[in-house]
Amino acid sequence: MLKRTHTCGELGKDHIGESVNLNGWVNTVRLHGQVIFIDLRDRYGKTQIVFNSEDYDGDFESVKKLSMEDVLSVKGTVQARGENAVNPDMSTGEIEVMVDTMELLSETTPLPFVITDRESASEDLRLKYRYLELRTDELQYNIITRHKAYQAVRGFLSENNFLEVETPILMKSTPEGARDFLVPSRLHNGKFYALPQSPQIYKQILMISGFDRYFQIVKCFRDEDFRADRQPEFTQIDIEMSFVDEEDIYSNMEGMTRHVFKEVIGTELPDPFPRITYDEAMSKYGSDKPDTRYELFLQDVKQFTDVSDFNAFKSAECVKAIVVLGGAKYSRKNIDEMTDLVKSFKAKGLTWMKMEEGQLTGGISKFFGDDLQKELISSTGICDGDIIFLIGDERSVTEKSLGALRVEIANRENLADKNDFKPLWVTEFPMFEIDEETDKLTFLHHPFTSPTTQNVNELDSDPESLKARAYDLTLNGYEIAGGSIRIHNPEIQNKVFSLLGLSQEEAQEKFGFLVEALTYGAPPHGGIAFGFDRLVMLLTGSSNIRDVIAFPKTTSALSLMDGSPDSVSDNQLDELNIQIIKKK
């Protein structure tokens, strides 16, 4: 191998006349008789290399046999391209390298898909040959962007007195919302470690230990059902601070987020970030992570439906609507598709009316008299050519289903500019919610979140109405970070466990070590965790979280490249005293 003197992305007019060595992959081959043009590629870029049968010292016939993705080492002289041959799309487009020596370092077998065209293969095939897909320009850009984001985060936090501390990967199984991945212990028969869903308890203990500013870019694990923006193992920017309140969190995290966007993609974010309460977000956008790049607000129209002849909404707790500009073009098929969408969010159906020549037509318009139509038109601002969609149901169902419809319409109408970034804090979350399966109280964030009151008696009186000192940072319809001020009073912590239905014995078994630590002088503290994969997804403009992870799992938690999860030998199972029982 010829040791490279330059990368394939750095040569320019200043290097003309120099002898250089390049190593890389064959990206393209163009045969022109006795002259062969090859674009040689590495992660830094591409350089056009030229083999001329008259000047090349080696076997010219072997050059003709080169294939895309063969690995070459070449030596040659840099020369200027002809005036009409300059390629403005390549950073090295003003020069080329006339090759006099070449070594074929590695010959490829036939490719399962075309490296220069990701769309030439299904995602499953690309994930099976992930090492090939990682050679594509798009994924190389994504992984480089991820690296830059790592460095920007570490740089900002280190400069602001945060200490990076590693916490255990093998820990005690604790109920924190999702299902744990369990690891059987060979040395302690019948006992298990869990992989951490987050370092939540450890970082609180670090605060008790006196490390007042902690961070970690850490792997977390949750055994749950998956979506396009979720993985069974994911990366989190974990942060905790002592002697702070919400304003300290907002200030520091806005500074870090602005720094990352500026350093990584050169984008300026606002200062300060706007804020909205959870109740306002649900009422106005139908989402606790609203995309504010477009309007399309939810409007309360119950006062109009209550006096209409449309009886189906009379008993509804909440009736809301959204007006879609130009939506009168929607066909019956379009409306049926949207109806199916809202039904998946438990809405019973979707009603509508179109505005034509100053009147509401179609759908349920016949149930609204002329005068009532005028009032509804004036209140909602609907105009000719628009459509209004209405849902009446329980408040939570109405708002969530219309919120989902709002996002669907924005996608259909291209209402959101992908180069526009709108961060937003969502605050004042409910402390608890009712679990639909058990009909019992459960937590919205985690059981260590501090309520707004420190009065134990108030916790007992009406727990469903309590607010939490919790906050989420959202961006363009995604939650990119979530956190809270934590409980540092052991009496309050035990009361919250009790409200969640944990007996004193259960709380002691699962969380006793944390509660005991709180009794030894715990400082007021709070923190936040950023979904690093999701953050990088937004930085790169991708819509698939798997595109910003080097070796991701599928939505069914499979690694197609290495075949995991996989069976293990009987000897391994015997050592762990585990027996596999097949389901009937």
Side-chain angles (χ1 to χ4, degrees):
M1 180 184 74
L2 301 166
K3 191 167 184 179
R4 69 180 176 185
T5 59
H6 299 80
T7 71
C8 294
E10 69 176 292
L11 295 176
K13 295 174 74 173
D14 292 342
H15 299 92
I16 290 173
E18 291 185 20
S19 176
V20 298
N21 298 345
L22 300 178
N23 297 333
W25 286 262
V26 174
N27 194 69
T28 59
V29 180
R30 300 181 299 281
L31 303 176
H32 292 270
Q34 296 306 302
V35 179
I36 300 173
F37 296 91
I38 289 176
D39 284 348
L40 196 67
R41 183 196 74 242
D42 60 17
R43 77 173 175 89
Y44 304 95
K46 302 183 187 77
T47 297
Q48 178 170 285
I49 60 175
V50 183
F51 294 83
N52 189 316
S53 61
E54 295 181 0
D55 303 318
Y56 179 56
D57 294 338
D59 179 9
F60 191 74
E61 290 302 312
S62 66
V63 179
K64 291 181 179 180
K65 298 176 183 177
L66 291 175
S67 300
M68 290 170 60
E69 301 308 308
D70 285 344
V71 185
L72 305 184
S73 184
V74 300
K75 180 179 182 179
T77 303
V78 181
Q79 69 177 24
R81 291 201 197 190
E83 186 176 338
N84 296 326
V86 170
N87 186 345
D89 296 327
M90 290 174 63
S91 61
T92 61
E94 293 183 302
I95 60 90
E96 58 192 10
V97 174
M98 293 297 296
V99 179
D100 50 52
T101 303
M102 178 200 77
E103 290 184 34
L104 176 59
L105 301 179
S106 182
E107 188 174 1
T108 186
T109 57
L111 298 169
F113 63 91
V114 181
I115 304 296
T116 53
D117 181 12
R118 288 183 71 208
E119 301 307 314
S120 67
S122 67
E123 185 180 37
D124 281 359
L125 183 63
R126 288 184 277 115
L127 286 174
K128 181 179 179 180
Y129 296 97
R130 185 64 166 184
Y131 43 86
L132 295 179
E133 188 181 23
L134 282 170
R135 296 181 190 174
T136 64
D137 290 344
E138 182 178 346
L139 263 61
Q140 295 240 324
Y141 170 78
N142 290 353
I143 299 302
I144 291 168
T145 301
R146 187 182 179 103
H147 163 78
K148 291 178 179 178
Y150 277 131
Q151 305 313 311
V153 167
R154 281 196 166 94
F156 179 90
L157 293 174
S158 298
E159 289 174 11
N160 284 275
N161 292 324
F162 287 83
L163 295 175
E164 186 169 9
V165 183
E166 292 178 296
T167 54
I169 291 297
L170 297 175
M171 63 174 290
K172 182 183 181 72
S173 177
T174 57
E176 294 183 40
R179 189 181 293 108
D180 285 329
F181 281 104
L182 298 178
V183 181
S185 171
R186 179 181 60 83
L187 298 177
H188 303 280
N189 186 251
K191 296 189 176 182
F192 295 82
Y193 300 102
L195 302 181
Q197 295 182 32
S198 77
Q200 180 62 45
I201 295 177
Y202 286 113
K203 70 179 181 180
Q204 289 191 244
I205 289 176
L206 283 171
M207 296 301 103
I208 299 169
S209 304
F211 297 100
D212 66 316
R213 288 193 163 203
Y214 143 92
F215 84 96
Q216 185 180 189
I217 301 178
V218 60
K219 280 288 187 185
C220 301
F221 307 86
R222 291 179 186 171
D223 187 7
E224 58 184 351
D225 296 331
F226 307 110
R227 299 195 302 259
D229 63 343
R230 283 189 179 175
Q231 286 277 293
E233 54 179 308
F234 56 95
T235 305
Q236 193 167 283
I237 309 170
D238 204 48
I239 296 168
E240 199 79 4
M241 305 164 67
S242 293
F243 308 112
V244 294
D245 60 16
E246 290 88 337
E247 294 300 327
D248 297 299
I249 303 290
Y250 299 152
S251 175
N252 279 274
M253 296 305 99
E254 288 180 21
M256 187 191 81
T257 308
R258 279 193 297 271
H259 176 76
V260 168
F261 272 79
K262 178 66 175 175
E263 286 293 308
V264 177
I265 60 172
T267 294
E268 298 277 1
L269 295 182
D271 183 10
F273 293 175
R275 302 176 194 175
I276 191 172
T277 68
Y278 171 85
D279 289 341
E280 291 172 325
M282 295 305 300
S283 176
K284 190 174 182 179
Y285 298 100
S287 172
D288 60 1
K289 45 182 183 295
D291 191 337
T292 57
R293 289 175 295 174
Y294 50 91
E295 294 188 345
L296 204 59
F297 303 130
L298 277 59
Q299 303 185 52
D300 193 329
V301 294
K302 186 168 173 59
Q303 59 177 315
F304 304 111
T305 59
D306 275 355
V307 296
S308 74
D309 295 327
F310 188 67
N311 294 325
F313 285 166
K314 296 285 176 69
S315 60
E317 176 190 4
C318 175
V319 183
K320 290 198 169 184
I322 53 176
V323 174
V324 183
L325 274 62
K329 66 188 176 187
Y330 291 152
S331 66
R332 184 72 239 185
K333 180 176 180 291
N334 297 146
I335 295 172
D336 287 345
E337 291 169 348
M338 295 179 192
T339 301
D340 290 339
L341 171 68
V342 300
K343 283 182 176 179
S344 70
F345 287 84
K346 300 185 178 179
K348 296 180 182 68
L350 180 66
T351 59
W352 56 275
M353 294 178 278
K354 295 181 179 181
M355 179 85 161
E356 295 173 349
E357 297 179 357
Q359 285 190 314
L360 296 173
T361 63
I364 61 171
S365 61
K366 64 183 179 181
F367 298 104
F368 291 75
D370 290 344
D371 290 341
L372 187 56
Q373 279 202 15
K374 289 177 183 177
E375 291 180 41
L376 181 60
I377 290 168
S378 175
S379 175
T380 60
I382 188 171
C383 299
D384 282 350
D386 298 344
I387 191 171
I388 182 169
F389 290 109
L390 306 88
I391 294 177
D393 214 307
E394 296 176 9
R395 180 170 298 278
S396 62
V397 172
T398 297
E399 291 178 343
K400 288 179 181 178
S401 53
L402 266 182
L405 180 61
R406 176 180 182 269
V407 173
E408 171 63 20
I409 289 168
N411 290 335
R412 285 175 180 256
E413 302 296 329
N414 294 316
L415 299 181
D417 179 356
K418 69 176 184 178
N419 296 313
D420 186 17
F421 295 97
K422 297 286 189 184
L424 178 72
W425 287 106
V426 181
T427 67
E428 298 181 35
F429 281 82
M431 182 73 183
F432 304 110
E433 64 180 349
I434 299 295
D435 188 297
E436 293 180 0
E437 294 182 5
T438 65
D439 204 34
K440 295 180 179 179
L441 284 182
T442 187
F443 46 83
L444 245 71
H445 280 69
H446 53 61
F448 319 113
T449 296
S450 176
T452 53
T453 179
Q454 295 298 297
N455 187 321
V456 175
N457 294 328
E458 286 185 39
L459 289 172
D460 269 328
S461 60
D462 187 12
E464 289 184 52
S465 68
L466 288 173
K467 296 294 185 183
R469 297 181 68 182
Y471 34 79
D472 283 353
L473 180 56
T474 70
L475 184 72
N476 294 2
Y478 291 94
E479 176 197 332
I480 62 169
S484 66
I485 301 300
R486 322 302 188 189
I487 298 170
H488 72 282
N489 180 324
E491 184 182 11
I492 297 291
Q493 185 64 80
N494 279 323
K495 172 53 68 174
V496 168
F497 288 152
S498 174
L499 290 171
L500 291 169
L502 289 174
S503 68
Q504 192 170 356
E505 292 75 21
E506 288 173 318
Q508 178 62 32
E509 179 189 352
K510 297 296 184 183
F511 303 111
F513 66 103
L514 172 63
V515 177
E516 182 180 14
L518 292 175
T519 68
Y520 287 99
H525 59 283
I528 196 167
F530 283 75
F532 186 70
D533 307 304
R534 196 172 294 166
L535 179 63
V536 176
M537 185 178 78
L538 289 164
L539 287 167
T540 61
S542 175
S543 58
N544 187 336
I545 205 164
R546 292 184 291 278
D547 283 352
V548 299
I549 300 171
F551 301 104
K553 306 289 191 294
T554 67
T555 51
S556 55
L558 297 174
S559 175
L560 299 180
M561 186 185 74
D562 63 20
S564 62
D566 196 7
S567 56
V568 297
S569 70
D570 290 340
N571 287 340
Q572 289 175 285
L573 294 174
D574 289 343
E575 284 185 329
L576 297 167
N577 286 300
I578 290 176
Q579 182 180 4
I580 304 297
I581 300 175
K582 293 184 178 180
K583 288 185 178 181
K584 294 181 180 179

